[in-house]
Amino acid sequence: MKLINKSIILMLLIAFSGCEDALEEEVYSQLGTENYLATENGIETVLYQAYSNMQRHGHDFSIQLHEDIVVTGRGDGQLGAWEGSTIAPFRLWTWTSSFWPFSNHWNGCYNMIYNSNVVLDNVEGKSFSDDFVNRMRGEALTLRAYAYMRLYEYFGPTPIHLSSNPDDLLIPRSTEDETKGRIETDFLEAIDLLPIDQELFGSLTKGSSMGMLARFYLNDKQWQNAAEITKSVIDLNKYSLYPDYTTLFHIANEGNSEVLWVQPSKSIDGLANTLIGLTYPGDFPFEGTQSTFPARIRIPTWFVDSYEIGDSRADSTVLLKSYVNRQGNTINAYGTGGAYPIKYGLDPNANGGNGGNDLPEMRYADILLMRAEALNELNGPNQESIDRINEVRNRAGVADLALEDFSSKDDLRETIFQERQWEFHFEDLTRIDMIRQGTFIADAISRGLQADEHHLRYPIPQDEIDANPNVKQNDGY
Amino acid sequence: MTNNYQTKIRRWFTLLSFLCLADLAWAQSTVTGIVTDENGEGLPGATVVVKGTSNGTTTNIEGNYQLTAERDAILIFSFVGYATRDVPVNNRSIINLQLEIDLKSLDEVVVIGYGTVKKSDLTGAVTSVKPDDLNRGSIVSLDQALQGRVAGVRISQASAEPGGGVNIRIRGAGSISAGNQPLYVIDGLPLNGENMMSGGGSADIPGNGVPKNPLNTINPNDIASIEILKDASATAIYGSRGANGVVLITTKTGSSGKLNVNLDSYVGVQTIYKNPDMLSTSEYISAMNDLAEDRGEGVVFSDADISEIGDGTNWFDLVTRDAITTSHNISFNGGNESSRYFVSANYMNQDGVIVNTGTERYSFRVNLKHDFSNKLTFDMNLTTSLVNDLNSVEGSGNTENGPYSLAAIYDPTMDAYNEDGTTAESDVFTFPSPIATLQKESTTSTNRTLGSASLNYEIIPGLNAKAKFGVDRRNGREDLFSPGIATSSGSNVAIGRIATLERNSYLLQYTMDYSKSFSDVVDFNILGGTTYEKFTNRSFSAGISNFPTDILGTDNLGLGNIENAFMGSNKNENIILSYLGRTNLTLYDKILITASVRVDGSSRFGANNKFATFPSAAVAYKLSQEPFIPEVLNELKVRASWGKTGNQEIGNYASLSTFGTGGQAIFSDSPYQGTTATRLPNPDLKWETTTQFDVGIDFGLWDDRIYGSIDYFQKNTDDMLMNFPLPTSSSFQSVIRNIGSMKNTGMEIMLTTRNIVEPNFEWSTGLQLATIRNEVTAIGGLDDILVGNLFTTSFAVIRPGEELNAYYTLEQTGIFQTQEEVDNSAQPSSAPGNPIYRDVNEDGQINDEDRVVVGSPWPDFTYGMSNEISYKNTSLSIFIDGQQGANLLNANITYSLHPPTARQNRIKEQIVDRWTPDNPDAKWPSAINPSSYGPYKIDSKQIEDASFLRLQSVRLSQTIPVSSKWVEKVTVYATGQNLLILTKYSGLNPEANRNQNSNAWAERNAYPLARTYIIGVNIEF
């Protein structure tokens, strides 16, 4: 009996001791921070994450394109939940700080910044090759600068995080100069670091970084810098216009010589975009696995009519005006509700409305027109500006402009902006172009909207305002 | 105890009584009589003793007795299980007496954490429920059987799907983000309450916010008792898992003696209680034409169209059915003096009222007890079950999804089938036909094995040691398949997925307890122990699309296009290590004192806070033992308790920062997997602590003709785990911190009255009533947190001073009648016929600032009332339950008011009573341009009163006399469930919640409630 008693007490003692190490949490399916970031592979996958924040898909993609075309009145939505709740505030100019596309844009950009910062914080001081370090730094800096630029386009100056260290989370908004200085510095450093060619298409190159910096200079009206950097891109002799505008965006021609950088997509779960589902008519006679969503985007008749006769950018394979539907009836879309913007074409492997078309982020035609615009702003009408515009017009199959047609800088500026609207329609450039041109608000008022200067910037997302007392809302919101 | 067994005992006592008679030679005066039982039949073996002497006898086999006694003596009549009676002789020579059953002695022992206690010695708020007091009918899980039965336990059938998830809140919502479900402990083994796979969320099958109930794996027929531990004195022994209350389930055990067999079988039919009231075909046609006309558009349906359409299609008829439910249960129990067993087998099937839904269960149980000696005993409980679910594919998101929700909105003017018999496709909708989505397949099957074995050893009298080992193993598999015709993208690309999940846990437990009485003054009992539990989860999933044919479903995933394949796997585990102790002290059988403590260590918490201590104390005073309490009060006890409990139900690894799978980037047309930091670290993360204070009173009047209890409690939850919002510029949305505080106060009343107690006629009434007031008291310095998102709008708020997740949106005050009214309002861009919103801050515009609290999902009180009437061999039980003062967001209204597609069908009332210049007093707006109504889709008018009174069940049963050698008793019964629901709520289910884990309650795509009628038979052999 005593033996049993003793052994029971012994068992109790054993049970009460020695188990506490067991409470250490053992992680199986996730990776520890320190070890992981000590490897090239670890750093690279974090960079992929930053790219993935930049490469929008699904609804994130749709809203990016819709926002631009709807807020500028160059397109409108029809049918579907998308039209009802999501893009109506952009059409009616009734957005508020809790409208989800703003936090979507904000979060996407700041995730890109955070992951770029993780790369920048961890890539140096290890035994990685210089090539690797330069390439990683160049790509991360470009992505960070791009993110701050996109934030600036929406919201103006925002908090600047230059480290992934979580200690200081309540950073206030930076000043205009700080923001612009940061964007320029990061792009310039990246241009030095990046190679002209990358192994994988879609990775950032010297040219893409230069092109994005050109866009920044242009929007900031730093005309001299814009003129120089666009010249540098042209002098790389790497890029040229793709000969046919109507097939430029087709999936078969992805990665052609005109593209400096793209937002790629692929027709697989989670990586597809919604172009097919949102741009084709519901009863379009698809031959493959394509189909459409309830929502639709349509281009108003007046815009279609604004193109010159014979302009391939208004061809029915770019802006679908009439078609024979599944039932065999001819449908005149153009007269009833507007044309369908189908310039991206069909993905033969589409999964319903989801396809894998790339969206160009920067293409050579933009470099040419930016150079033309910058030179005009610097010198007034000049032959190089006219020549650059004509390169773009020739490809579209419309007649050359002549220098003598332009009496003033304003005159040519107007023509350039018109050309940009035609050339870059449905490419997420219209709003910033109109803001630069100074017509964004006036155009909205002419469409009967109640618009004023405060609409030039969107409101800072309410989540940020609520969680960060140091961030002040934009005026008027 | 069976009749046979009783007879044996009676005979034995009779024999004894004859032996005793030999002593009674020198009688003074003889008293004779017959002692009868509650049915008036002779009671053999009852003891009759002359008070104050050793002179006594027992009754013979007919219940007769004879003894000698002084003429002024008092006779004491007693029998096991019956109330003892003192009867003066008063010169009589014949005294006949009927003994009454002593209710208290029958349910004397109550199970508590790590032990048992006499019911009269309870110091905490514990409600014990026996199988007779559980809900009857087609019951899949034991929590359904408890619905409405216990005060302070709100059980809501969040999804009416067969086996659908249940929301249980014991004494209110105790947490915001760490889970609200109680801890279930079955035969001493704490269950892993986490859900298995939900049957959706992939392969084009929408995520299901209310996964199947994990308790479906347990056969409710095996239950011997359920104890619900409510106050901290009862729950603190479960430490960091006790804050939401604890439900102890005890399964049946065998008893020595002859083999007893019980067979129970029923079959029933379920019919839909009601479908949403949508426009009929003809109403739809005129609505579409009227709306088009009001918008200035041409008619949608010409006269020629109308004559061609005819009756159109009633889509509900095509996707619903009357569903069969059936169950067969057989159990055996018996044993000898050293071994006892209980064995049962169960098959249960419940088809759903939506086609292609349902659940079935096979379960098997063995409970064994064996005494090696009178010191060393062994017991084992083992049950294994297989549950196969055909899941509803309705989903709970923003868009139309499954067959039933599509049937509500689909175009009633089109034909369901083409002339060649194929499914017709709509010209106006891009989402698939309701009958096409019926072909979506979502099946889950779960095998669960629960086993525990323990050894008990009595070291010295009063000192016991117990070692227990237990396992809870669940293996599940989920198959999801959407054929091309049914995919929501209309892609015609079939997609399939198979996932497996294992949730395994084991328990090692060692306890010792010591009991001792010191004279009559002090009784004491002390318990100590340690437990170690480890939970391991592993999952694997793989999916693929672009199948060449739909025929094989998920049975050959290899047929899909490998370019579109995806897979994943995961493993995680957590550990709880605990030390526990409790002491009970009884003074003079009047004063009861209990104190307990548990020290819990959890791997889930931050490095700085691995261990926590949860103490409790309680005191009770049995006033009925005092002479100054009038006799009419046969029981009166006052109780008070205080204690702390915790909640550790957050995911694993929440305190660590790790790199996990992120998004994919595309380069050269190939995906590259990214990784990203999963969260910010928080080494200070710890459990939530709930401090609860409870005072109660237990009472019984007139020998328990009326008895019950009343409790008042206050529960303060602090260090509440919350996702503290971070500036999103940090790249993180939030970090989990211990920042919140919440308070629940309430009153619970449970009352039973035995209205009629006659030999052949009994009627008793049970009543329970609870009122709980919830208040959020702090959320880490924030003003409020918006929660519950539907249609891109948050509809609820967590705000100090308000109830948790109070509904929070614009208040609709009416409908604009004229353009002038619009121009002078805060909504100048609105239109006549649109809703008017209250401009709360009077700044001339309607925006976020104008949102106000417009309702609460929490009822003012909940109640239940049972009536049990028996007359001879017939008995009737009626059970009513309900809630008063709760609101529920009816998102079906929202969806119909803001139809994404103009051509979808609407809730009839919204069109019939829509605003037009000719119908200025309309209830609903004009429906002409819903996107111009205002900034939100959800407003106060969609937050409806969800009070209800429900005739939950009526059961009529008849015991048929049998005279057979084999059959002892046959009972036939008929039960109706959900017979009547009185409510103003216009949706399908006033208890529905689209997301089981969320306290932001909303009905969206709810599964329709069913009325159930069953008939069954119960045979005892």
Side-chain angles (χ1 to χ4, degrees):
Chain A
M1 181 64 77
K2 280 200 171 150
L3 188 68
I4 293 172
N5 285 356
K6 276 184 185 161
S7 58
I8 286 168
I9 290 162
L10 195 66
M11 267 174 67
L12 200 62
L13 284 172
I14 291 167
F16 272 82
S17 62
C19 280
E20 287 167 33
D21 289 348
L23 296 180
E24 204 65 39
E25 246 183 329
E26 203 165 335
V27 181
Y28 294 96
S29 300
Q30 295 171 354
L31 303 150
T33 311
E34 284 162 28
N35 305 336
Y36 190 56
L37 294 177
T39 63
E40 285 196 5
N41 196 16
I43 297 280
E44 217 160 10
T45 59
V46 177
L47 186 72
Y48 295 154
Q49 180 65 35
Y51 271 102
S52 126
N53 298 135
M54 176 268 167
Q55 299 174 357
R56 301 176 183 206
H57 304 111
H59 277 179
D60 293 356
F61 176 89
S62 311
I63 195 61
Q64 181 189 356
L65 273 178
H66 272 82
E67 176 266 330
D68 189 60
I69 202 170
V70 174
V71 81
T72 56
R74 266 63 181 166
D76 200 357
Q78 291 189 346
L79 304 166
W82 198 245
E83 187 272 331
S85 66
T86 305
I87 63 171
F90 283 133
R91 175 166 17 98
L92 304 170
W93 286 45
T94 54
W95 54 76
T96 63
S97 58
S98 49
F99 188 34
W100 71 268
F102 301 144
S103 50
N104 206 50
H105 186 81
W106 180 280
N107 296 348
C109 288
Y110 273 108
N111 288 338
M112 207 183 320
I113 290 163
Y114 175 82
N115 288 304
S116 302
N117 282 335
V118 171
V119 172
L120 294 168
D121 289 348
N122 290 283
V123 73
E124 284 174 303
K126 304 209 169 83
S127 58
F128 304 143
S129 71
D130 285 353
D131 270 4
F132 178 78
V133 173
N134 289 344
R135 190 163 60 81
M136 288 297 111
R137 283 183 50 77
E139 292 182 42
L141 285 165
T142 307
L143 288 169
R144 186 169 80 181
Y146 169 81
Y148 281 121
M149 184 171 91
R150 294 304 313 263
L151 285 166
Y152 184 81
E153 288 171 6
Y154 261 51
F155 308 109
T158 58
I160 289 189
H161 290 251
L162 298 176
S163 152
S164 59
N165 188 334
D167 286 348
D168 191 5
L169 300 177
L170 302 180
I171 297 179
R173 296 176 72 172
S174 58
T175 63
E176 291 271 339
D177 286 349
E178 281 167 3
T179 306
K180 290 174 180 172
R182 173 50 49 192
I183 294 168
E184 184 181 17
T185 311
D186 280 358
F187 273 136
L188 285 173
E189 191 183 348
I191 290 166
D192 276 348
L193 294 166
L194 283 169
I196 293 175
D197 294 299
Q198 285 261 41
E199 204 175 310
L200 295 171
F201 173 68
S203 297
L204 287 156
T205 60
K206 197 182 285 288
S208 24
S209 205
M210 290 161 92
M212 299 316 291
L213 178 59
R215 181 173 292 163
F216 166 75
Y217 282 146
L218 198 74
N219 284 321
D220 200 37
K221 306 196 174 173
Q222 300 188 38
W223 310 118
Q224 187 61 44
N225 285 335
E228 282 169 16
I229 194 95
T230 46
K231 180 74 167 54
S232 308
V233 176
I234 295 166
D235 289 346
L236 287 174
N237 282 322
K238 183 183 171 185
Y239 305 101
S240 60
L241 291 179
Y242 185 76
D244 179 10
Y245 187 89
T246 62
T247 57
L248 166 62
F249 305 95
H250 286 189
I251 204 156
N253 299 323
E254 282 181 354
N256 65 57
S257 60
E258 185 169 342
V259 177
L260 281 74
W261 197 29
V262 292
Q263 272 193 49
S265 286
K266 189 171 167 60
S267 177
I268 55 179
D269 229 28
L271 293 179
N273 67 40
T274 49
L275 280 166
I276 295 169
L278 290 170
T279 56
Y280 278 84
D283 54 357
F284 190 82
F286 296 112
E287 285 167 3
T289 54
Q290 306 88 356
S291 65
T292 63
F293 303 136
R296 197 79 59 245
I297 195 104
R298 303 289 287 271
I299 307 305
T301 306
W302 69 262
F303 185 81
V304 181
D305 286 343
S306 72
Y307 285 92
E308 293 166 42
I309 308 285
D311 192 329
S312 67
R313 294 170 299 192
D315 188 85
S316 201
T317 58
V318 176
L319 289 166
L320 181 67
K321 300 178 199 74
S322 83
Y323 61 99
V324 178
N325 74 3
R326 273 202 293 267
Q327 286 75 27
N329 305 319
T330 300
I331 305 294
N332 181 9
Y334 175 58
T336 53
Y340 294 90
I342 60 164
K343 74 177 179 183
Y344 294 96
L346 290 174
D347 178 352
N349 296 316
N351 176 8
N354 299 299
N357 294 73
D358 293 352
L359 173 73
E361 192 63 34
M362 174 61 64
R363 56 189 175 93
Y364 191 58
D366 202 358
I367 300 291
L368 296 175
L369 290 180
M370 285 196 285
R371 168 108 178 129
E373 184 179 337
L375 290 175
N376 179 51
E377 295 296 340
L378 288 169
N379 310 320
N382 63 86
Q383 192 56 49
E384 189 187 346
S385 289
I386 300 295
D387 291 345
R388 296 301 179 197
I389 300 167
N390 283 342
E391 282 184 61
V392 174
R393 286 177 62 85
N394 280 338
R395 191 259 305 267
V398 285
D400 279 353
L401 303 177
L403 181 57
E404 53 272 25
D405 296 342
F406 300 94
S407 56
S408 68
K409 189 190 278 189
D410 291 351
D411 225 10
L412 183 54
R413 181 191 296 136
E414 196 134 317
T415 298
I416 293 170
F417 275 107
Q418 180 62 65
E419 202 63 45
R420 291 186 65 88
Q421 288 221 353
W422 290 330
E423 178 69 24
F424 302 118
H425 181 250
F426 207 34
E427 289 182 45
D428 193 19
L429 285 174
T430 311
R431 175 175 167 270
I432 56 166
D433 277 357
M434 288 175 78
I435 289 174
R436 185 171 75 253
Q437 191 187 5
T439 55
F440 181 60
I441 302 297
D443 193 83
I445 292 170
S446 77
R447 298 199 305 275
L449 295 164
Q450 294 185 322
D452 58 51
E453 288 296 307
H454 88 272
H455 287 112
L456 287 172
R457 282 176 178 167
Y458 290 129
I460 304 279
Q462 194 61 38
D463 299 343
E464 181 75 17
I465 299 283
D466 289 345
N468 188 347
N470 297 330
V471 166
K472 297 280 167 285
Q473 185 55 276
N474 281 329
D475 290 343
Y477 292 105
Chain B
M1 199 184 287
T2 66
N3 287 344
N4 202 311
Y5 184 54
Q6 272 179 346
T7 312
K8 272 187 186 167
I9 291 178
R10 287 176 193 180
R11 283 191 187 135
W12 203 70
F13 273 95
T14 313
L15 185 68
L16 267 177
S17 68
F18 288 129
L19 291 172
C20 293
L21 275 176
D23 285 336
L24 307 171
W26 45 280
Q28 294 163 344
S29 120
T30 303
V31 181
T32 60
I34 180 165
V35 178
T36 52
D37 67 9
E38 71 283 9
N39 297 320
E41 289 172 14
L43 192 61
T47 308
V48 187
V49 180
V50 180
K51 192 169 186 175
T53 72
S54 61
N55 175 18
T57 182
T58 53
T59 55
N60 69 9
I61 196 152
E62 276 86 37
N64 294 316
Y65 72 95
Q66 181 177 14
L67 52 56
T68 53
E70 303 283 344
R71 294 178 170 214
D72 57 351
I74 292 173
L75 301 185
I76 302 172
F77 293 80
S78 63
F79 189 71
V80 178
Y82 288 79
T84 300
R85 289 277 303 273
D86 292 3
V87 180
V89 174
N90 278 350
N91 296 324
R92 288 178 293 178
S93 58
I94 298 174
I95 298 176
N96 295 331
L97 187 75
Q98 184 171 34
L99 288 180
E100 286 180 8
I101 289 177
D102 186 348
L103 285 176
K104 270 190 295 187
S105 68
L106 287 180
D107 55 359
E108 214 167 37
V109 171
V110 173
V111 180
I112 56 170
Y114 304 94
T116 57
V117 67
K118 277 198 290 183
K119 191 173 184 186
S120 57
D121 287 351
L122 268 178
T123 52
V126 176
T127 303
S128 179
V129 185
K130 301 292 179 204
D132 282 351
D133 299 325
L134 292 172
N135 294 330
R136 313 292 181 75
S138 182
I139 300 286
V140 182
S141 67
L142 64 100
D143 42 11
Q144 275 180 295
L146 275 174
Q147 190 175 36
R149 294 284 178 171
V150 183
V153 182
R154 186 192 188 200
I155 300 178
S156 318
Q157 190 73 50
S159 165
E161 189 178 355
V166 168
N167 274 108
I168 300 196
R169 302 285 181 266
I170 295 180
R171 293 193 162 175
S175 179
I176 289 174
S177 40
N180 286 278
Q181 305 277 19
L183 173 69
Y184 290 92
V185 179
I186 181 162
D187 295 321
L189 177 67
L191 294 188
N192 178 351
E194 285 181 85
N195 285 317
M196 291 297 280
M197 291 163 296
S198 70
S202 190
D204 204 54
I205 290 173
N208 186 351
V210 191
K212 292 291 171 98
N213 189 340
L215 294 175
N216 292 346
T217 49
I218 292 161
N219 178 5
N221 296 296
D222 290 342
I223 293 170
S225 77
I226 299 177
E227 268 81 21
I228 293 150
L229 314 185
K230 297 193 283 198
D231 74 342
S233 147
T235 58
I237 197 88
Y238 287 103
S240 65
R241 286 174 293 174
N244 291 322
V246 180
V247 179
L248 303 181
I249 299 147
T250 309
T251 58
K252 291 173 181 166
T253 51
S255 50
S256 314
K258 152 182 181 301
L259 167 68
N260 294 297
V261 181
N262 183 293
L263 176 70
D264 190 275
S265 283
Y266 68 75
V267 61
V269 63
Q270 306 171 82
T271 63
I272 288 186
Y273 190 84
K274 70 168 184 181
N275 286 322
D277 195 12
M278 309 306 284
L279 294 166
S280 70
T281 306
S282 58
E283 289 163 342
Y284 172 85
I285 289 169
S286 44
M288 289 300 129
N289 282 346
D290 291 351
L291 285 173
E293 193 186 336
D294 289 355
R295 288 191 190 109
E297 296 163 2
V299 294
V300 179
F301 298 100
S302 66
D303 289 346
D305 292 336
I306 293 169
S307 62
E308 195 186 319
I309 288 164
D311 290 341
T313 301
N314 182 336
W315 293 100
F316 283 130
D317 290 348
L318 298 173
V319 300
T320 63
R321 63 182 173 188
D322 290 341
I324 301 296
T325 177
T326 180
S327 160
H328 307 289
N329 195 77
I330 188 161
S331 66
F332 304 85
N333 90 72
N336 56 31
E337 281 181 9
S338 61
S339 298
R340 294 161 301 281
Y341 61 86
F342 171 85
V343 176
S344 77
N346 171 253
Y347 169 75
M348 193 234 44
N349 178 63
Q350 198 179 90
D351 286 342
V353 290
I354 296 178
V355 175
N356 270 352
T357 61
T359 187
E360 67 172 358
R361 170 181 59 225
Y362 303 85
S363 86
F364 183 69
R365 168 176 293 278
V366 182
N367 288 350
L368 282 180
K369 277 186 191 300
H370 181 72
D371 304 339
F372 293 107
S373 70
N374 55 11
K375 286 188 173 296
L376 184 64
T377 62
F378 168 78
D379 61 72
M380 185 196 85
N381 298 298
L382 182 67
T383 181
T384 184
S385 63
L386 175 66
V387 174
N388 292 320
D389 289 310
L390 267 173
N391 302 302
S392 154
V393 295
E394 296 298 327
S396 55
N398 289 334
T399 48
E400 59 290 318
N401 285 314
Y404 191 73
S405 40
L406 281 170
I409 62 165
Y410 226 63
D411 181 353
T413 63
M414 64 176 280
D415 292 327
Y417 298 98
N418 298 318
E419 276 166 20
D420 60 4
T422 53
T423 305
E425 288 183 57
S426 168
D427 292 337
V428 293
F429 298 140
T430 48
F431 33 83
S433 152
I435 46 178
T437 58
L438 280 179
Q439 297 172 36
K440 287 190 178 185
E441 183 201 333
S442 166
T443 63
T444 45
S445 69
T446 306
N447 174 224
R448 184 177 212 168
T449 301
L450 280 169
S452 63
S454 41
L455 266 180
N456 296 274
Y457 184 69
E458 187 184 52
I459 301 163
I460 52 170
L463 179 63
N464 289 287
K466 182 171 181 176
K468 190 179 185 78
F469 170 71
V471 288
D472 176 2
R473 292 183 65 86
R474 281 187 289 173
N475 274 289
R477 170 169 156 150
E478 171 187 79
D479 287 63
L480 304 176
F481 189 80
S482 287
I485 188 176
T487 50
S488 56
S489 60
S491 59
N492 245 343
V493 175
I495 178 164
R497 176 180 190 259
I498 294 173
T500 63
L501 173 66
E502 294 169 25
R503 290 195 187 280
N504 296 331
S505 64
Y506 68 84
L507 162 79
L508 296 172
Q509 178 181 311
Y510 179 76
T511 53
M512 292 180 84
D513 74 275
Y514 182 64
S515 300
K516 177 86 179 158
S517 291
F518 297 99
S519 68
D520 288 342
V521 180
V522 180
D523 263 328
F524 98 96
N525 167 276
I526 185 164
L527 166 86
T530 175
T531 78
Y532 176 85
E533 284 165 88
K534 183 166 180 174
F535 301 82
T536 306
N537 303 307
R538 294 199 301 172
S539 63
F540 174 75
S541 67
I544 199 164
S545 62
N546 292 69
F547 290 84
T549 168
D550 294 341
I551 297 171
L552 299 181
T554 51
D555 292 336
N556 189 345
L557 289 187
L559 287 178
N561 180 351
I562 193 69
E563 281 219 345
N564 296 327
F566 54 94
M567 68 167 78
S569 65
N570 188 279
K571 177 181 175 183
N572 60 75
E573 61 184 33
N574 69 297
I575 290 161
I576 303 174
L577 169 67
S578 314
Y579 310 108
L580 56 94
R582 178 176 57 214
T583 179
N584 292 312
L585 193 65
T586 308
L587 302 173
Y588 301 101
D589 198 26
K590 282 178 193 164
I591 312 249
L592 307 159
I593 298 166
T594 304
S596 76
V597 65
R598 182 174 179 126
V599 178
D600 262 352
S602 169
S603 65
R604 281 182 172 160
F605 291 104
N608 305 340
N609 277 313
K610 285 289 186 201
F611 278 89
T613 303
F614 301 98
S616 85
V619 61
Y621 183 15
K622 288 196 211 172
L623 281 166
S624 45
Q625 302 287 75
E626 299 290 0
F628 55 82
I629 295 296
E631 284 277 314
V632 32
L633 276 159
N634 62 299
E635 185 187 359
L636 184 64
K637 181 166 71 180
V638 291
R639 302 178 265 110
S641 73
W642 171 93
K644 286 178 185 254
T645 48
N647 188 343
Q648 61 116 39
E649 289 308 313
I650 53 168
N652 294 338
Y653 313 132
S655 74
L656 302 177
S657 175
T658 56
F659 272 78
T661 307
Q664 290 178 316
I666 302 168
F667 302 106
S668 298
D669 215 31
S670 296
Y672 286 73
Q673 184 62 53
T675 56
T676 187
T678 46
R679 61 187 82 79
L680 288 178
N682 179 1
D684 298 322
L685 197 71
K686 60 180 181 181
W687 50 93
E688 298 183 350
T689 301
T690 295
T691 309
Q692 191 177 180
F693 168 74
D694 181 291
V695 287
I697 176 167
D698 298 329
F699 57 89
L701 290 160
W702 297 293
D703 276 339
D704 278 348
R705 284 296 284 265
I706 297 175
Y707 61 91
S709 61
I710 301 172
D711 276 87
Y712 169 83
F713 66 88
Q714 183 167 335
K715 245 173 115 171
N716 292 322
T717 305
D718 295 302
D719 296 334
M720 207 154 45
L721 294 161
M722 287 178 64
N723 279 309
F724 185 79
L726 292 176
T728 45
S729 52
S730 68
S731 172
F732 295 95
Q733 307 281 329
S734 58
V735 61
I736 294 187
R737 286 185 187 157
N738 295 88
I739 49 171
S741 294
M742 192 157 65
K743 187 165 83 176
N744 282 288
T745 49
M747 177 91 98
E748 293 161 356
I749 299 171
M750 293 199 69
L751 187 70
T752 302
T753 60
R754 292 155 66 211
N755 309 320
I756 296 175
V757 187
E758 295 295 332
N760 282 315
F761 185 28
E762 288 199 42
W763 173 29
S764 67
T765 302
L767 188 72
Q768 65 89 355
L769 183 80
T771 167
I772 293 171
R773 161 80 191 165
N774 171 282
E775 186 188 332
V776 176
T777 46
I779 47 173
L782 297 173
D783 293 336
D784 45 36
I785 300 176
L786 297 179
V787 290
N789 195 294
L790 256 180
F791 308 115
T792 70
T793 309
S794 292
F795 58 81
V797 71
I798 300 172
R799 174 184 278 176
E802 298 287 349
E803 289 179 84
L804 177 63
N805 292 349
Y807 291 112
Y808 183 68
T809 186
L810 297 178
E811 186 182 338
Q812 189 187 328
T813 56
I815 293 174
F816 285 116
Q817 298 294 338
T818 62
Q819 187 58 46
E820 194 190 348
E821 234 177 82
V822 173
D823 294 341
N824 295 326
S825 73
Q827 298 155 266
S829 57
S830 195
N834 283 3
I836 307 170
Y837 296 115
R838 190 153 76 88
D839 182 13
V840 175
N841 61 357
E842 296 180 336
D843 65 348
Q845 43 184 324
I846 297 297
N847 55 22
D848 294 353
E849 309 295 317
D850 296 309
R851 289 177 292 187
V852 285
V853 169
V854 295
S856 157
W858 305 107
D860 298 334
F861 61 92
T862 54
Y863 55 89
M865 186 175 85
S866 66
N867 274 290
E868 309 281 338
I869 301 163
S870 66
Y871 178 73
K872 292 189 173 162
N873 291 325
T874 308
S875 64
L876 175 69
S877 74
I878 299 168
F879 183 62
I880 291 167
D881 70 340
Q883 65 179 24
Q884 192 64 36
N887 298 112
L888 179 61
L889 167 61
N890 183 352
N892 305 324
I893 299 180
T894 324
Y895 196 58
S896 183
L897 276 178
H898 296 269
T901 353
R903 279 287 300 276
Q904 78 188 44
N905 204 347
R906 318 286 163 87
I907 292 172
K908 183 190 283 184
E909 189 195 57
Q910 289 182 9
I911 295 298
V912 173
D913 195 13
R914 75 185 179 94
W915 185 92
T916 61
D918 303 331
N919 184 19
D921 299 327
K923 183 171 176 191
W924 299 100
S926 69
I928 293 170
N929 184 8
S931 67
S932 69
Y933 285 175
Y936 305 119
K937 290 182 174 177
I938 293 170
D939 63 40
S940 58
K941 205 157 180 191
Q942 298 153 35
I943 318 286
E944 296 197 306
D945 182 356
S947 303
F948 68 85
L949 184 152
R950 166 174 52 199
L951 182 52
Q952 151 106 251
S953 66
V954 175
R955 175 182 158 118
L956 182 67
S957 68
Q958 171 77 39
T959 305
I960 298 166
V962 281
S963 47
S964 154
K965 187 176 166 193
W966 298 103
V967 177
E968 291 201 351
K969 192 174 167 192
V970 175
T971 307
V972 292
Y973 57 88
T975 307
Q977 286 170 271
N978 263 344
L979 295 175
L980 182 68
I981 301 169
L982 300 177
T983 180
K984 285 185 215 155
Y985 181 72
S986 74
L988 294 181
N989 176 3
E991 293 189 302
N993 190 2
R994 60 190 280 268
N995 181 351
Q996 186 190 18
N997 295 322
S998 170
N999 283 315
W1001 294 63
E1003 175 185 343
R1004 172 82 188 115
N1005 288 358
Y1007 196 96
L1009 285 175
R1011 264 198 192 97
T1012 308
Y1013 305 94
I1014 67 172
I1015 52 169
V1017 60
N1018 185 300
I1019 305 170
E1020 286 178 22
F1021 299 93

